[in-house]
Amino acid sequence: MALPETIFKLLKPRRKASGSELTREAMANIPRHVAVIMDGNGRWARKRGLPRYSGHYAGAENLREFCKWCIEFGISYTTVFAFSTENWQRPQQEVDSLMKLFLEFFARYEEELAAEGVRLRFCGETGELPQSVQDTMQRAEASSLQRNKLQLIIAFNYGGRREIVKATRDLLASCKAGELKPEELTEEHLSARLYLPDVPDPDLIIRPSVELRLSNFLLWHSAYIELWFAKVLWPDFNRHHFTAAINDYASRQRRYGGLSKEERG
Ligand code: FPP
């Protein structure tokens, strides 16, 4: 594997870009929870004649930057899609490099995340991951419990349908045990059985890389989510793009199937 340092050098000039600022409207209407599909790492690497895993390393570096912007803007939660339940279909070498990157990320940046006040949480079928990854997750969660600037939720071996099936199984078990009657089931009962029931639904999903789809991410939570698509690859997604996304989010009217304030009179 090429040294990640090669990738850090490639990223350095890009990090200086800052770009436009938040509007007043945006400052008054910051989303509480922003989710990101960190897509386009492979294409980023290919454009530079690098192996695919280099794109993932560059993507992980951008995640560090992204957390800083979230803290700067006052966003409380971010959920990022780092490995899907479908990603096992990729070549073994790429899967292995993603697991290795996960371990290296925490070995390298644990102190930085602590200094920034980032609490770590994970969602997905974590019990199916290599033991070393599970141990790292448990350590990161336990050691960051008291941090309160930002909750970084890493979806790892995550699939939206798998999450709903898991919640449904739990519901059926509760019904079988006589704790719940099927005719009394509500959305709240299912929500309470998702991976992280205490985390509020994301307000905004950002997907860079040109693709216009959700790819099995946060299916239950995205019922009324706002979507933002950026025509750049995730490692190139910078503070300027993020500012534009937040400004645009703030200018939208979320009606949840009802009427706007003006229409209600
Ligand atoms: C999709 O891009 C991205 C992934 C499958 C992996 C994303 C993972 C990271 C950014 C690393 C996160 C690291 C930590 C420590 C959480 P793609 O490979 O499908 O890109 P392509 O569509 O251009 O091929």
Side-chain angles (χ1 to χ4, degrees):
M1 268 197 194
L3 281 175
E5 272 67 20
T6 322
I7 298 150
F8 300 154
K9 277 184 201 145
L10 277 169
L11 287 168
K12 268 184 187 151
R14 183 188 50 81
R15 284 210 200 120
K16 287 181 186 141
S18 59
S20 54
E21 297 306 322
L22 292 179
T23 59
R24 267 171 192 272
E25 188 181 36
M27 283 192 247
N29 194 17
I30 290 290
R32 186 157 52 149
H33 184 172
V34 176
V36 185
I37 301 177
M38 303 187 289
D39 192 20
N41 301 335
R43 276 163 283 173
W44 183 93
R46 196 166 60 239
K47 271 169 68 181
R48 288 159 179 79
L50 295 166
R52 288 183 59 81
Y53 70 79
S54 310
H56 298 315
Y57 273 89
E61 285 304 301
N62 208 32
L63 175 57
R64 282 172 65 210
E65 297 297 308
F66 183 77
C67 289
K68 291 175 191 154
W69 308 328
C70 285
I71 293 169
E72 180 192 339
F73 292 172
I75 290 162
S76 304
Y77 302 84
T78 183
T79 300
V80 296
F81 208 0
F83 191 86
S84 77
T85 44
E86 289 73 39
N87 285 153
W88 297 104
Q89 296 165 38
R90 296 198 175 195
Q92 192 58 42
Q93 207 188 10
E94 184 171 346
V95 171
D96 291 346
S97 69
L98 280 162
M99 299 298 152
K100 188 165 178 277
L101 168 58
F102 184 92
L103 301 178
E104 285 181 15
F105 185 86
F106 287 102
R108 204 181 254 264
Y109 298 127
E110 177 50 30
E111 277 180 27
E112 177 180 300
L113 293 166
E116 281 168 2
V118 178
R119 177 175 172 194
L120 274 307
R121 304 184 74 180
F122 302 91
C123 64
E125 293 300 316
T126 52
E128 293 171 4
L129 289 162
Q131 196 55 51
S132 53
V133 172
Q134 291 188 45
D135 293 345
T136 300
M137 285 177 165
Q138 276 155 19
R139 271 198 305 273
E141 269 176 351
S143 64
S144 68
L145 268 177
Q146 304 306 324
R147 301 183 204 151
N148 58 10
K149 286 268 171 60
L150 173 71
Q151 291 201 23
L152 168 60
I153 299 152
I154 301 183
F156 210 78
N157 199 23
Y158 175 88
R161 288 185 173 183
R162 283 282 291 275
E163 182 175 27
I164 295 169
V165 168
K166 176 212 131 4
T168 309
R169 279 203 193 117
D170 288 2
L171 275 180
L172 289 174
S174 299
C175 289
K176 217 169 147 191
E179 296 155 13
L180 265 174
K181 289 190 184 135
E183 61 277 16
E184 288 169 357
L185 292 186
T186 62
E187 291 181 12
E188 284 69 32
H189 287 119
L190 196 137
S191 292
R193 286 159 175 84
L194 298 174
Y195 291 126
L196 297 173
D198 63 300
V199 173
D201 283 348
D203 303 292
L204 173 69
I205 287 189
I206 295 176
R207 180 169 193 152
S209 92
V210 186
E211 317 296 350
L212 303 176
R213 49 179 174 258
L214 281 180
S215 300
N216 203 14
F217 190 39
L218 303 175
L219 296 184
W220 177 267
H221 323 70
S222 57
Y224 283 101
I225 204 149
E226 298 295 326
L227 299 159
W228 172 267
F229 297 99
K231 287 187 180 166
V232 289
L233 306 173
W234 168 247
D236 291 327
F237 183 88
N238 61 31
R239 189 179 173 284
H240 170 76
H241 302 118
F242 193 34
T243 308
I246 301 297
N247 283 341
D248 187 68
Y249 166 85
S251 71
R252 300 182 190 182
Q253 282 204 348
R254 302 185 74 188
R255 294 193 292 271
Y256 303 94
L259 296 180
S260 67
K261 251 191 234 157
E262 296 75 43
E263 285 163 324
R264 270 184 271 134

